[in-house]
Amino acid sequence: FLVFGILIGSVARISFPNITYNSPYAINFILGLFSLACLFPITITASQCLLREKEYRFEQILYSTPITTGKYFISRFLLVFGIAVLSFLIFLSGFISGHLMRMDSSELWGAFHISYYIHSFLIIVIPNIFLCSVIVSCTAWLSKNKFAVYLSGLGIYVVYMVVSIYSNSPLMAGASPVSESAMQLAAKTDPFGMAAFSEQTNHWTSSERNSVLLRLSGNVLFNRVSVIIFSSVLLFISFK
């Protein structure tokens, strides 16, 4: 993840007209897209940690101990979620390092602000990792099947890409302009928050995109809170 982050920060160039590579707009876009990469450590960790007792026929012995089922499930979920967050933090460290390695005095780069990266990580990435961790973990608990766990991780990515293409998402290359009402609906329902990010910044000037942090208000706030609530309810149902 560290090497991958360095490569993305120093080599990959997703350019926008009059937008610097290290602007809040570019950072939000890139980190939002690559937050899907958290599915890899999530599926691996979930398949190994959440199904270990069943695989080794240790369930009955475990549940006969003073450890409650709730505490056990919470600790296992936090392990999956924590490893995913740590993995993305390593990627983010590499991404920042890549930017610092390539920054120069040209108009393609702006002043370095660590707050741009931290803000994007907290607003965009963390809720996305939480949602993916919940879906994959719940699949593991309900199916008790490793293959289903791997399919759930792949399914999240495939379904999101397919829906983005067929809904004419403004984030997809070559997409035609969408109506205001369609953008509002996408901003509220996009589980990874990228449509909400696009909707809020749609009418921003280049200067605003280069310097203004994504505001936790409007559809961005609605989207992020909705994702957290939905994930929490799904997690609660699985515990029951």
Side-chain angles (χ1 to χ4, degrees):
F1 275 88
L2 180 63
V3 174
F4 183 51
I6 293 174
L7 288 175
I8 296 299
S10 60
V11 178
R13 292 290 178 265
I14 302 178
S15 59
F16 305 95
N18 302 315
I19 305 298
T20 57
Y21 290 136
N22 59 339
S23 65
Y25 183 87
I27 292 171
N28 283 326
F29 188 91
I30 293 174
L31 293 190
L33 289 181
F34 282 98
S35 65
L36 285 169
C38 71
L39 284 167
F40 178 73
I42 287 173
T43 53
I44 295 297
T45 307
S47 65
Q48 297 300 318
C49 295
L50 303 185
L51 301 177
R52 181 182 300 170
E53 283 71 27
K54 180 180 184 300
E55 184 177 356
Y56 292 102
R57 304 179 184 277
F58 192 67
E59 288 179 306
Q60 297 302 322
I61 298 176
L62 176 68
Y63 296 149
S64 65
T65 66
I67 301 176
T68 63
T69 304
K71 290 182 179 179
Y72 169 74
F73 280 138
I74 290 174
S75 64
R76 292 294 177 147
F77 170 76
L78 290 177
L79 177 62
V80 173
F81 178 66
I83 289 178
V85 170
L86 179 60
S87 298
F88 200 92
L89 280 174
I90 294 173
F91 166 82
L92 181 60
S93 299
F95 182 65
I96 294 172
S97 299
H99 272 185
L100 292 174
M101 289 164 56
R102 291 300 302 270
M103 280 182 62
D104 53 39
S105 58
S106 70
E107 62 182 11
L108 297 176
W109 296 93
F112 176 79
H113 295 281
I114 190 65
S115 59
Y116 293 173
Y117 302 87
I118 296 175
H119 185 271
S120 180
F121 176 73
L122 295 176
I123 301 301
I124 299 292
V125 177
I126 287 294
N128 292 354
I129 294 179
F130 184 60
L131 174 64
C132 292
S133 298
V134 169
I135 293 176
V136 174
S137 296
C138 290
T139 301
W141 289 325
L142 297 176
S143 70
K144 300 186 183 300
N145 185 287
K146 280 189 176 183
F147 185 66
V149 174
Y150 294 126
L151 280 182
S152 67
L154 178 62
I156 292 172
Y157 180 82
V158 172
V159 169
Y160 183 68
M161 290 295 106
V162 170
V163 170
S164 296
I165 292 172
Y166 283 95
S167 65
N168 205 27
S169 170
L171 301 176
M172 303 304 294
S176 58
V178 296
S179 65
E180 192 68 26
S181 59
M183 183 171 286
Q184 289 277 341
L185 178 61
K188 288 183 171 67
T189 58
D190 178 5
F192 288 95
M194 295 303 291
F197 154 71
S198 180
E199 185 264 340
Q200 184 177 114
T201 59
N202 188 43
H203 300 293
W204 284 12
T205 64
S206 297
S207 176
E208 288 176 311
R209 292 184 177 187
N210 281 327
S211 59
V212 179
L213 295 172
L214 191 66
R215 301 186 183 97
L216 194 58
S217 61
N219 285 327
V220 172
L221 177 61
F222 179 88
N223 179 280
R224 301 288 79 188
V225 171
S226 297
V227 166
I228 293 174
I229 292 176
F230 170 79
S231 302
S232 300
V233 170
L234 186 59
L235 196 61
F236 178 77
I237 294 173
S238 297
F239 284 163
K240 291 298 182 179

